[in-house]
Amino acid sequence: MIPASIQEKIGLNLFKNSNHPIGIIKEKIYQSFPNFYRNETLPVLVNLDQNFNSLRIPDSHPSRKTSDTFYQDGETVLRTHMTAHLTDLIKAGRSNYLICGDVYRKDAIDRTHYPIFHQMDGFAFSTDPELDLRESLSVLIKNLFGHQVKFRFLEDKVRNDIYFPFTINSCEVEVEILDAEGNNTWVEILGGGTVHPEIMEACGFKNRKGWAFGLGLERLAMKLFSIPDIRLFWSTDERFLSQFKAGQINTFTPYSKYPPCYKDLSFWLPENFEENELNLIIRENGQDLIEEVKLIDKFVHPKTQKISHCYRINYRGTSKTLLNSEIDQIQNLIRQDLTNKLQIELR
Ligand code: FA5
Ligand code: MG
């Protein structure tokens, strides 16, 4: 059930390379929590209790669908967040922790989304979790972005779209950054809150409180190093890797990119069409040679009411210019695979 393109990345452990941007960011975060228990070796395969049930994630939640999560079998998934380990660690009596690892989600393909990314989760017992979380995160953000950084806490009391089933007083933190056009914009870098009292009780700590947060390392690294494309983190190209040194945050200098090539794909939709499934099949056949998949046209047949979509696949090599024949070969594999697996009708 877990595709080969994903399998082969399990265990690469980018975050354990101290000269890789993901490893550099990880170390920076550790420095803000000097006495916390750390664990980087928790297993990526977890059961449904760990990833969902113990965290009060309802049965109907979209993240449980096979179109969103990689299932190994009916009981086991590739963790979709590091919070999958929260209840095990609290039960084991950890009073605080930082845990780092790779997480997996079926997702769109673009410059900021990749099916594997890295998260750091933090937790600590506290008598005033709301205040302590705010203080800890303020220290962390200033350490990462410098004391001049502008950041803000968005609270569930004010914004009802901020919600995690496993926390109360949930919040998100946004940091102000300069975007590619030179404008100031706010970007979300983490979610957090007070661990839900029912979870504390289920872990055997009825009268204790704790705060927790989870942040995405790629998001942080892309901002801090000015890395424009999330696929670059997986590059083995020396022109990428040689630019980073342990303990240093410097601006990435892009090297000349290889030219892009577009191929369009039009088809009639089957009854239960899931765009994530389409993306996954395309990704599986195209590996890292596909930069983006974009819906560029929708059409409803006036007589039959059948719906047609046209997707544009943007091919671009990460280490060489692709030959037209190579791209055609991949495009044909994608067409065959989609027809077999999704019952789509190619046009
Ligand atoms: C979570 O995963 C929660 N487990 C976080 C949490 C932990 C909340 C503990 C409360 C208490 P979310 O799905 O928003 O939440 O992801 C957390 C962070 O991971 C985001 O802020 C973002 O930085 C990063 N992230 C999420 N999805 C992606 C993605 N597709 N690609 C790269 N980074 C992502
Ligand atoms: Mg979020």
Side-chain angles (χ1 to χ4, degrees), residues 144-199:
L144 286 170
F145 289 88
H147 281 258
Q148 275 80 299
V149 66
K150 279 200 200 150
F151 61 99
R152 62 187 184 194
F153 285 82
L154 308 177
E155 296 178 311
D156 58 357
K157 298 177 192 96
V158 189
R159 283 258 307 262
N160 59 11
D161 58 325
I162 296 175
Y163 172 75
F164 303 104
F166 36 93
T167 52
I168 56 171
N169 305 323
S170 303
C171 67
E172 277 176 6
V173 175
E174 289 187 343
V175 172
E176 195 183 51
I177 55 119
L178 276 182
D179 67 14
E181 283 81 49
N183 304 309
N184 288 323
T185 51
W186 293 97
V187 290
E188 174 208 323
I189 57 163
L190 63 87
T194 299
V195 178
H196 198 288
E198 285 175 15
I199 296 178

Side-chain angles (χ1 to χ4, degrees), residues 81 83 105 107 113 117 119 166 188-189 191-192 213-214 216 219:
H81 55 175
T83 317
R105 296 182 192 178
D107 223 329
H113 291 86
F117 59 99
Q119 285 187 337
F166 36 93
E188 174 208 323
I189 57 163
F213 71 84
R219 290 267 168 92

Side-chain angles (χ1 to χ4, degrees), residues 70-85:
F70 293 101
Y71 279 76
Q72 160 101 333
D73 54 49
E75 266 302 303
T76 318
V77 297
L78 285 173
R79 62 187 172 204
T80 63
H81 55 175
M82 289 305 287
T83 317
H85 304 291

Side-chain angles (χ1 to χ4, degrees), residues 299-306:
F299 165 74
V300 182
H301 193 282
K303 287 221 181 78
T304 63
Q305 298 299 312
K306 282 209 291 189

Side-chain angles (χ1 to χ4, degrees), residues 261-263 321-331:
C261 173
Y262 300 104
K263 293 274 173 194
T321 299
L322 298 175
L323 299 173
N324 229 324
S325 56
E326 285 177 289
I327 296 173
D328 283 340
Q329 204 180 353
I330 300 172
Q331 186 78 0

